[in-house]
């Protein structure tokens, strides 16, 4: 049971690293109404299959998706990728788990080339001045055997704030290509972008921003 809890901790990691933040939105926490919506797919194995050790974030299969309300008419989403980071865990010492993730802000992508460039500009994320977003975990609270609340510090747009990510174990297996033991998690958090100094078009484009993290790690 304890190993299951540790496995979940990993999830936090990815997080983001990437931009994620402090407050979970309605239904965003473990066991909340939003959980079913982010669990459409299931991976292999169980948390008990996760091995102790140090894992590196796998950049090619880790994504951070952000969603906002566009003029109250429809949701609009984009992604960040190309992250780096590490996760160190011991199933017998959950409190000693370490997780740190960094994601390049310039990796932001949307379905509009014009908007993508605007998001990188000083009016929005100012990627030239603040090239990365980071997440460093400080603690993890297990919920059941495969979920956890991961607390940590998110630094985005030059602002650092505490955040809590609702994380769920997705899968554990040996990657048939790299032959490395790998694990994956899904994380979700809702933040207010204005708290990070990203205020363009609020409230026409919602302040509330939902971040969903698909994280993959390979054992080193």
């Amino acid at each position: 049971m304890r190993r299951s809890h540790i496995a979940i901790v990993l999830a936090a990691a990815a997080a983001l690293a990437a931009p994620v933040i402090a407050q979970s939105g309605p239904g965003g926490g473990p066991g909340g109404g939003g959980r079913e919506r982010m669990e459409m797919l299931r991976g292999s194995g169980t948390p008990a299959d996760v091995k102790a050790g140090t894992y590196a974030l796998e950049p090619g299969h880790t994504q951070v998706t952000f969603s906002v309300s566009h003029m109250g008419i429809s949701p609009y989403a984009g992604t960040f990728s190309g992250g780096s980071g590490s996760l160190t865990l011991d199933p017998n010492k959950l409190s000693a788990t370490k997780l740190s993730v960094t994601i390049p802000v310039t990796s932001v992508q949307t379905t509009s080339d014009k908007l993508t460039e605007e998001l990188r500009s000083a009016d929005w994320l100012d990627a030239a001045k603040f090239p990365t977003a980071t997440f460093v975990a400080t603690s993890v609270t297990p919920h059941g055997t495969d979920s956890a609340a991961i607390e940590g510090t998110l630094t985005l747009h030059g602002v650092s704030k505490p955040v809590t990510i609702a994380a769920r174990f997705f899968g554990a297996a040996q990657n048939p290509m790299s032959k490395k033991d790998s694990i994956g998690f899904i994380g979700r958090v809702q933040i207010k972008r204005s708290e990070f100094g990203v205020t363009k078009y609020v409230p026409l484009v919602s302040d509330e921003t939902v971040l969903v993290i698909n994280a993959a790690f390979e054992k080193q």
Side-chain angles (χ1 to χ4, degrees):
M1 185 74 84
R2 189 177 183 80
R3 291 190 62 180
S4 296
H5 292 163
I6 300 278
I8 302 305
V9 173
L10 308 183
L16 246 241
V20 248
I21 211 155
Q23 306 172 357
S24 290
R35 183 176 176 183
E36 292 77 9
R37 289 193 293 275
M38 73 173 189
E39 294 187 359
M40 300 293 286
L41 300 174
R42 290 282 180 172
S44 300
T46 70
D49 297 317
V50 176
K51 299 177 181 179
T54 296
Y55 291 75
L57 187 70
E58 208 278 89
H61 295 91
T62 293
Q63 307 163 312
V64 176
T65 299
F66 67 87
S67 297
V68 293
S69 170
H70 180 249
M71 300 183 181
I73 299 171
S74 64
Y76 191 83
T79 61
F80 293 89
S81 59
S84 61
S86 66
L87 170 67
T88 300
L89 75 142
D90 179 346
N92 296 312
K93 296 180 181 179
L94 181 60
S95 62
T97 298
K98 296 180 180 180
L99 167 64
S100 177
V101 180
T102 297
I103 288 185
V105 173
T106 52
S107 69
V108 65
Q109 289 287 333
T110 71
T111 52
S112 165
D113 291 341
K114 183 175 184 293
L115 177 56
T116 294
E117 288 307 311
E118 288 182 3
L119 290 176
R120 293 171 181 164
S121 74
D123 285 342
W124 288 86
L125 298 172
D126 200 351
K129 186 175 181 180
F130 307 109
T132 61
T134 62
F135 176 80
V136 179
T138 56
S139 68
V140 58
T141 301
H143 290 276
T145 60
D146 69 348
S147 300
I150 301 168
E151 297 182 22
T153 300
L154 169 67
T155 299
L156 174 66
H157 197 242
V159 178
S160 297
K161 286 186 172 293
V163 313
T164 300
I165 298 171
R168 178 180 68 79
F169 169 82
F170 185 84
Q174 184 182 82
N175 186 313
M177 305 298 288
S178 66
K179 306 304 181 183
K180 292 183 178 181
D181 291 325
S182 302
I183 54 178
F185 303 86
I186 295 176
R188 182 185 186 279
V189 64
Q190 180 171 308
I191 68 172
K192 288 188 175 182
R193 59 188 178 90
S194 64
E195 294 183 349
F196 292 87
V198 183
T199 60
K200 188 75 170 180
Y201 295 141
V202 171
L204 200 57
V205 174
S206 68
D207 193 2
E208 291 72 20
T209 304
V210 174
L211 299 167
V212 175
I213 304 109
N214 296 325
F217 292 86
E218 287 189 334
K219 195 170 187 298
Q220 302 301 290

